Amino acid sequence: MAGVVLIALIAFGATSIGGFWSLLNLRSNLVFASFLGIATIGQTLCALIGGLDLAIPFVLGAANIGLVRLMNGGVSPGLGIVIVVGLGGLIGAFNGALSNRLQGQSLVVTLGVGNAVLGLVQILVSKGGVSGISGGTIEGKIPRWIEQFSTFNHSFGIAPAVLLWVALIVVTIVVLRMTWFGRSLYALGGNQAAAARVLISSWWSWTVVFAVSGATAALTGVLLLGYTGSGYAGVGDPYLFTTIAAVLIGGTSLVGGRGGYGLSVLGVLILTVLQTILSGYNLSQAAQEAILGFLIIPTVALYARSPHPRMQI
Amino acid sequence: MSGTERAPTYFLARQRSLVTPLILLGVLLVISAWHGPHLFTSDGLAGAVIGAAPLVLATLGITVIAVAGPAGVDLSVGPVMTFINIVIVLGLPLVGVSSPVLVFVAAIIVGVLLHVAMGTLIACLRVSTVVVTLAVYLVLDGLNTVILPEPGGTAPDWLASWGAASSILSPILYVPVAAFVLWTLITASTFFRNIRLMGANDRTAFVSGVALIPTRIGAHVIAGVFVGIASVMYSGLIGSADPTAGASYTLSAVTALVIGGASLAGGRAKGLGSVIGAIDIWLISYVLSTFNFGLNASYWVEFATGAVLVAALFAGGILSGLSPREWRHRGGLAGPTP
């Protein structure tokens, strides 16, 4: 289903937009897709167990400015990346553990934690920094290899960020399909009570899944830093809705238990191609956002409807 | 909300949800008295009323959606208020409407229409509230910027004068009070009891003969009325039209709702709790504005709002709510699963 939509969109784009097949366009599309794709790993896992992670854009932005601040303060880039991705994972673990204890209300938990984290990081970054933050932007010297990692004009032909995404796609799909942990997520999303009967710990699974989501969001923040070249707290804003849209359009149900990361990859590619086409028609960012919103309801109506109460008695 | 027909212990349990917002209110008032006594002058109070009124009314609006549950979090409220704000400031003058009564009527009609559209999608397609309101958030947030790329326009004179808050004994107080009276009347009705039953357990409601689709759409009609009134107060507060500033009302209103003790599982939420929760949120930003954070002020507001939301969830989880076992039977965020 999602595959048909993707092929139709590519065909439409190829015929109506000039330069659609140009090497530059394909390369840049793949890099954008890899940013969204890596951030969507976490959102897909959360959706599979019936949760939502709204902290992704905040963790992403916090990692983005936090890494610049660490490097400005003399921390080596490699260690800095390990620190921000690790902290992202910890924040995610907190989200998951708390959401699970609070009857699965991941929506408000992640919204609250996300705002608190990004606010706190901005306060910390702006305090006595080597280079302060102004208007949410922080300048710093970004090492060349971080910039090279996400650039689409890489001498290698394909940006390393895309290769990293491909590797993560393989890992995520293998874990979801072939490991005990992956299968237990489907069980949890399908029926909590039944999953508890076969000794699947709901609390532990939520903690791990949201930790992965926090870590992938932070990783996306690092990649985006390489792409833009300076830290910006609001860099993650579009990712709040596009990660959810990619999950939904791919066909993973927000109710939990149905779908997979392969589908989300299709959703990511559909969104990327769609954005290229809309930009080709000179539509503003705001108009693209509105069109994305219009697309969500029909796709959800296809995949994620609850059954009628009369079927549940 | 009459407690007389229920067992006394249950009545007390219902009031327990007010403990968190009241404690927070007390703490914030003490800090204000110590660090920002301007609040307790007549100017300060009038400014507080017009400053908090849009959030209070918006929170009452999304409280109905929370009651209609399950997981009835209305994410659309910020962009919806912005859209009505643009309609009031730029759209109504085009058709020559500027009298107070007609502005209120028009704002409420737009609010109700938007919410009926959402309610119909949620009820008829049986898609979760979060997804539909998220989509509407995206559509309207984008649309607002397309219609009005830069802030501009001026509200009608009578409305813009509300923002100056010259006196507290003026419409800026009467409108929210009248709205709260309307709220108590609505919540006393049998129809609202049906909404509560549907939110607590839609299967029970269904077998009890409650017509689920009209009840859910009706809940959205009530929400639309309050969001419409909130938008008028918001237009008075800022005195112009702004395409982006209103979006933050989504986070503030959801936070106020949770602090106010609403159960997001559905069926239980108190209007009074939501009102106090909204006042708490306004007081947090007021208290923070009395400290000299300079350029960092917005970061502190962001941090404090998020931290208070998490703290309120902690407190609410301890004081009330379903046990994890009960929740498992309800099936999580997206409502009951088969």
Side-chain angles (χ1 to χ4, degrees):
Chain A
M1 173 67 204
V4 175
V5 176
L6 179 62
I7 292 168
L9 270 176
I10 290 177
F12 180 75
T15 51
S16 65
I17 311 274
F20 187 85
W21 282 120
S22 76
L23 205 56
L24 183 71
N25 183 44
L26 286 181
R27 278 174 170 184
S28 64
N29 268 354
L30 271 178
V31 173
F32 288 135
S34 68
F35 298 153
L36 178 58
I38 292 173
T40 305
I41 294 176
Q43 196 70 274
T44 306
L45 297 185
C46 292
L48 280 177
I49 55 173
L52 263 186
D53 189 354
L54 296 194
I56 286 175
F58 303 103
V59 172
L60 202 160
N64 193 271
I65 58 173
L67 180 58
V68 179
R69 177 68 187 83
L70 284 176
M71 290 191 301
N72 284 351
V75 179
S76 77
L79 181 63
I81 292 175
V82 171
I83 291 176
V84 293
V85 173
L87 282 178
L90 276 181
I91 295 162
F94 178 75
N95 276 334
L98 187 60
S99 303
N100 186 258
R101 279 290 175 258
L102 292 173
Q103 305 135 34
Q105 292 301 345
S106 55
L107 182 95
V108 279
V109 171
T110 52
L111 201 59
V113 169
N115 271 279
V117 164
L118 185 56
L120 186 66
V121 169
Q122 287 182 101
I123 294 167
L124 291 178
V125 165
S126 64
K127 273 231 165 94
V130 176
S131 159
I133 187 169
S134 68
T137 311
I138 176 167
E139 299 291 339
K141 232 176 107 56
I142 316 294
R144 185 140 176 79
W145 64 270
I146 294 187
E147 287 187 341
Q148 280 294 312
F149 203 84
S150 311
T151 181
F152 49 78
N153 262 334
H154 199 270
S155 51
F156 191 65
I158 296 174
V162 178
L163 298 178
L164 175 65
W165 182 36
V166 172
L168 287 176
I169 293 175
V170 174
V171 170
T172 311
I173 293 180
V174 166
V175 167
L176 275 180
R177 285 177 175 247
M178 297 184 177
T179 64
W180 189 89
F181 178 75
R183 302 318 296 171
S184 72
L185 298 186
Y186 284 91
L188 262 178
N191 190 324
Q192 295 246 2
R197 293 282 187 277
V198 291
L199 300 180
I200 294 169
S201 163
S202 147
W203 183 80
W204 176 244
S205 306
W206 276 66
T207 308
V208 172
V209 162
F210 277 79
V212 170
S213 184
T216 53
L219 184 59
T220 312
V222 173
L223 294 177
L224 276 168
L225 178 64
Y227 180 74
T228 59
S230 66
Y232 174 52
V235 70
D237 289 355
Y239 290 83
L240 174 58
F241 295 121
T242 45
T243 51
I244 299 173
V247 169
L248 288 174
I249 290 172
T252 296
S253 154
L254 285 188
V255 182
R258 272 171 296 162
Y261 186 60
L263 292 172
S264 298
V265 171
L266 284 179
V268 167
L269 293 176
I270 288 176
L271 280 180
T272 312
V273 174
L274 190 66
Q275 271 164 0
T276 314
I277 293 175
L278 294 178
S279 308
Y281 280 99
N282 285 323
L283 287 174
S284 67
Q285 200 69 38
Q288 294 185 25
E289 187 186 342
I291 290 172
L292 195 59
F294 269 117
L295 280 176
I296 288 182
I297 293 175
T299 48
V300 176
L302 281 175
Y303 308 117
R305 295 177 61 182
S306 322
H308 193 278
R310 97 164 63 81
M311 310 301 291
Q312 303 174 42
I313 297 164
Chain B
M1 292 274 190
S2 59
T4 48
E5 47 191 84
R6 298 193 175 84
T9 49
Y10 190 41
F11 178 75
L12 281 177
R14 294 176 67 82
Q15 308 308 312
R16 210 162 47 170
S17 66
L18 286 182
V19 171
T20 318
L22 279 175
I23 291 176
L24 188 58
L25 181 69
V27 171
L28 287 167
L29 283 177
V30 169
I31 301 178
S32 308
W34 163 63
H35 207 264
H38 174 70
L39 179 65
F40 301 100
T41 62
S42 81
D43 275 3
L45 274 179
V49 170
I50 185 66
L55 184 58
V56 168
L57 292 165
T59 310
L60 278 181
I62 69 169
T63 304
V64 192
I65 311 292
V67 172
V73 182
D74 180 1
L75 296 173
S76 73
V77 66
V80 166
M81 283 171 69
T82 309
F83 181 74
I84 304 178
N85 165 241
I86 294 175
V87 168
I88 291 173
V89 174
L90 297 176
L92 294 183
L94 291 181
V95 291
V97 171
S98 66
S99 78
V101 174
L102 286 178
V103 166
F104 267 101
V105 169
I108 289 172
I109 288 176
V110 177
V112 168
L113 284 179
L114 285 171
H115 261 284
V116 165
M118 285 186 258
T120 309
L121 288 170
I122 295 166
C124 296
L125 291 180
R126 296 192 301 278
V127 175
S128 75
T129 309
V130 172
V131 172
V132 171
T133 55
L134 185 71
V136 171
Y137 181 108
L138 279 181
V139 170
L140 286 183
D141 194 43
L143 203 59
N144 290 334
T145 312
V146 171
I147 300 172
L148 182 72
E150 297 288 326
T154 46
D157 289 343
W158 59 270
L159 188 54
S161 72
W162 289 7
S166 47
S167 160
I168 191 168
L169 290 177
S170 64
I172 60 169
L173 183 64
Y174 305 150
V175 171
V177 169
F180 192 72
V181 171
L182 177 68
W183 171 268
T184 46
L185 290 178
I186 290 173
T187 49
S189 65
T190 311
F191 179 70
F192 196 82
R193 201 161 65 187
N194 285 347
I195 297 179
R196 281 217 298 271
L197 177 58
M198 177 180 72
N201 191 327
D202 57 352
R203 275 163 274 189
T204 311
F206 180 70
V207 296
S208 312
V210 174
L212 293 184
I213 291 179
T215 308
R216 190 167 293 282
I217 294 175
H220 278 269
V221 170
I222 301 171
V225 170
F226 283 93
V227 172
I229 304 173
S231 311
V232 178
M233 300 301 288
Y234 173 63
S235 305
L237 175 66
I238 65 172
S240 61
D242 190 316
T244 52
S248 64
Y249 271 93
T250 292
L251 174 67
S252 309
V254 170
T255 309
L257 179 75
V258 174
I259 291 175
S263 159
L264 295 178
R268 280 182 305 166
K270 293 178 75 75
L272 190 57
S274 294
V275 170
I276 301 173
I279 294 173
D280 287 344
I281 296 294
W282 185 84
L283 273 175
I284 289 172
S285 61
Y286 171 79
V287 165
L288 288 173
S289 73
T290 63
F291 291 88
N292 281 322
F293 288 127
L295 289 171
N296 290 350
S298 63
Y299 310 149
W300 276 99
V301 172
E302 191 177 7
F303 167 66
T305 312
V308 167
L309 175 54
V310 176
L313 281 168
F314 260 118
I318 294 161
L319 286 171
S320 60
L322 302 167
S323 69
R325 177 183 292 272
E326 280 176 292
W327 174 71
R328 270 204 291 278
H329 289 291
R330 287 198 63 88
L333 177 79
T337 43

